[in-house]
Amino acid sequence: MKMNLAGLISPTKEVHGVTVRGLNFADLSAQWQTNGVRLMEAFDEVMAKANGSDDLMDVANSIIKYAPDLARAAFLSAINDKGEKHIIGDEELTAGEIWDTRMGIGKQMDIVIAIIDLTMNESDNLKKRLLSVLDKPTIQKMLAEKATSEE
C-alpha cells in the first residue's frame, strides 16, 4: 500500500532566496534541551515587550534583540541545516556563519517573521483540530460513524 503524505508536509516560504519552514516539535525540543533556561528568559522578555501586539514585526524584533542565539537556532532549524558549507563569493561558509556575518538585521527579521508566521499557522491549525475533536457533537458523530461502519 502506497501512502500519500503530501497533506502532512508543512508549508514553506521563500525569503530572500532561502526556503524556510515552520518549527516543529523536534525543533522546539532540541532547543529546549540545549537552551531551556535561556528560552524561558527570552520568552518572558519577548512577551513583555510584545504584549498586546499582534504585529509579527514586534515579536521578531524582540526575539532578535533579546535572544539572537535563539533566532539563529530557529533559522538553522527552519532550513534543515546540516552544517554543510555554501559558496559565498570566494569563501565557503556554513549557514550559521552566513547568518552571523553576512546577513543584515533586515534580512534576519524577514526570515524570523516568516518562521514565526509558518509556526503559528501550524499551531493554529492544530488548535482548531483539537477543539473540533473535543467538541461533544463531533465526538458523538465519530462514535456513531464508527458503530455504523462496524456493522
Side-chain angles (χ1 to χ4, degrees), residues 82-144:
K82 293 176 180 54
E84 61 270 5
K85 300 268 185 170
H86 306 276
I87 298 172
I88 304 295
D90 56 352
E91 292 182 274
E92 286 190 16
L93 302 170
T94 64
E97 292 168 335
I98 294 167
W99 175 271
D100 292 339
T101 63
R102 300 300 172 106
M103 207 179 292
I105 188 78
K107 286 188 171 98
Q108 288 177 339
M109 177 101 52
D110 291 344
I111 289 170
V112 170
I113 288 170
I115 295 167
I116 292 170
D117 184 42
L118 290 166
T119 302
M120 296 308 291
N121 283 337
E122 286 280 320
S123 176
D124 287 345
N125 290 338
L126 174 62
K127 281 189 265 186
K128 287 175 189 171
R129 280 185 267 152
L130 289 174
L131 286 174
S132 72
V133 168
L134 297 175
D135 182 34
K136 286 186 180 184
T138 304
I139 292 173
Q140 291 169 349
K141 181 180 174 186
M142 287 172 51
L143 291 173

Side-chain angles (χ1 to χ4, degrees), residues 18-21 74-82 84 86 95-96 111 115:
V18 177
T19 301
V20 296
R21 61 170 173 76
F75 166 68
L76 295 176
S77 291
I79 64 167
N80 299 321
D81 180 61
K82 293 176 180 54
E84 61 270 5
H86 306 276
I111 289 170
I115 295 167

Side-chain angles (χ1 to χ4, degrees), residues 19-117:
T19 301
V20 296
R21 61 170 173 76
L23 302 179
N24 59 33
F25 285 126
D27 301 324
L28 297 175
S29 177
Q31 288 309 306
W32 186 257
Q33 295 299 318
T34 57
N35 297 311
V37 172
R38 181 68 186 120
L39 203 69
M40 287 186 293
E41 291 170 356
F43 179 79
D44 289 344
E45 292 173 18
V46 168
M47 293 316 296
K49 176 73 175 168
N51 194 18
S53 174
D54 291 334
D55 187 6
L56 286 178
M57 187 99 144
D58 286 344
V59 176
N61 188 34
S62 297
I63 290 172
I64 290 171
K65 180 179 177 183
Y66 292 111
D69 52 328
L70 298 177
R72 180 184 193 267
F75 166 68
L76 295 176
S77 291
I79 64 167
N80 299 321
D81 180 61
K82 293 176 180 54
E84 61 270 5
K85 300 268 185 170
H86 306 276
I87 298 172
I88 304 295
D90 56 352
E91 292 182 274
E92 286 190 16
L93 302 170
T94 64
E97 292 168 335
I98 294 167
W99 175 271
D100 292 339
T101 63
R102 300 300 172 106
M103 207 179 292
I105 188 78
K107 286 188 171 98
Q108 288 177 339
M109 177 101 52
D110 291 344
I111 289 170
V112 170
I113 288 170
I115 295 167
I116 292 170
D117 184 42

